[in-house]
Amino acid sequence: MTLFAILFSVVTTLSNAMFHSSYDTVAQANMADCNAAVDSFITHLQSEPQLLADWAFAGMGRQQEADKNAMYLKWKYSEYNPETHYSKLIVDVLVNDKPMFKDVTVECVVNDTASADKRNIRVDIYYSGSLLKEAYGAFHLTPIADNSTKMAIDMHVKFGWFFRIFITRKVYRETIDWRLERFVTNLKMRAEGEMPSDAYWSAVDKQPSL
């Protein structure tokens, strides 16, 4: 049985405990500018991960709405070696605003391939303690026109048994789907010459819903 949900432009399915989310948008920027935005993300991930909170992860932390804080990660440390494609993250897992697991190590392999008309970045997580049973994803850049580039993300996540108890489709939608969209939007804004920030997203979130 497959469950289906849509939040804005994010499409998520749930089948055999595996969440599959996809999202795409079009940046009004050329391929070079989009590549530069992605390169900035990778560079900061590698050497100055604390800067990612200022733009790539802007507006993705704790929220005013309690439902959006049912589960989220507090980023504490990261390292990335482009020669070995190895990346290591250390995060705290917060459930309902309370630290449930501290200093969770997440290890993954990042493969980045590019050509004149495509860029693909695939991430395979192979260790995360009890947080994830299986997880992998991909990010794609594809030029559409001289000043138009498609950004697309595709993510598969199967949580460990403990987290599967309470991460339902509704919880996933309210805590993860919108953050996925916001991350891609932050990259899009960077490519278009804008600078996303917590203040920007705070103002956006305060606007009344249509």
Side-chain angles (χ1 to χ4, degrees):
M1 178 180 177
T2 298
L3 299 174
F4 182 81
I6 297 179
L7 177 68
F8 302 113
S9 300
V10 177
V11 177
T12 294
T13 59
L14 173 60
S15 180
N16 297 322
M18 176 75 82
F19 289 94
H20 174 210
S21 298
S22 59
Y23 172 69
D24 63 76
T25 187
V26 175
Q28 300 306 310
N30 58 38
M31 187 70 170
D33 289 336
C34 290
N35 274 324
V38 173
D39 288 341
S40 292
F41 174 77
I42 293 175
T43 297
H44 289 161
L45 182 66
Q46 178 183 353
S47 59
E48 297 178 295
Q50 70 278 5
L51 295 181
L52 292 173
D54 295 336
W55 69 277
F57 298 148
M60 294 170 58
R62 187 185 183 281
Q63 304 294 303
Q64 292 297 317
E65 302 94 330
D67 289 347
K68 292 184 176 181
N69 300 318
M71 189 195 80
Y72 64 100
L73 304 180
K74 182 180 179 182
W75 189 289
K76 300 181 74 173
Y77 170 83
S78 69
E79 62 182 64
Y80 172 62
N81 187 328
E83 295 182 358
T84 62
H85 308 293
Y86 168 84
S87 181
K88 176 182 177 181
L89 316 174
I90 296 179
V91 300
D92 287 347
V93 181
L94 288 86
V95 176
N96 294 324
D97 274 341
K98 298 179 180 179
M100 182 65 67
F101 295 94
K102 288 191 171 185
D103 298 326
V104 176
T105 297
V106 179
E107 297 180 79
C108 58
V109 174
V110 181
N111 287 297
D112 186 354
T113 58
S115 63
D117 60 353
K118 190 90 171 179
R119 183 171 184 178
N120 298 310
I121 300 174
R122 180 180 170 95
V123 178
D124 290 276
I125 295 176
Y126 62 85
Y127 177 79
S128 64
S130 60
L131 176 60
L132 302 170
K133 183 176 179 61
E134 182 181 4
Y136 56 93
F139 181 79
H140 310 285
L141 292 177
T142 308
I144 298 174
D146 289 343
N147 200 44
S148 183
T149 304
K150 181 179 179 181
M151 292 182 164
I153 195 167
D154 190 79
M155 185 171 72
H156 295 76
V157 176
K158 180 180 283 189
F159 290 97
W161 69 268
F162 175 83
F163 292 95
R164 253 181 276 166
I165 294 173
F166 69 91
I167 301 181
T168 62
R169 178 184 62 171
K170 180 177 183 293
V171 170
Y172 188 95
R173 182 174 64 245
E174 293 175 343
T175 61
I176 297 176
D177 271 352
W178 69 268
R179 285 183 168 95
L180 184 68
E181 179 176 1
R182 188 155 291 188
F183 169 68
V184 178
T185 302
N186 285 340
L187 289 176
K188 172 179 178 286
M189 291 176 64
R190 178 82 172 220
E192 294 174 342
E194 301 181 59
M195 182 55 73
S197 65
D198 284 340
Y200 168 82
W201 284 116
S202 179
V204 170
D205 291 339
K206 289 178 180 177
Q207 293 178 1
S209 301
L210 297 178

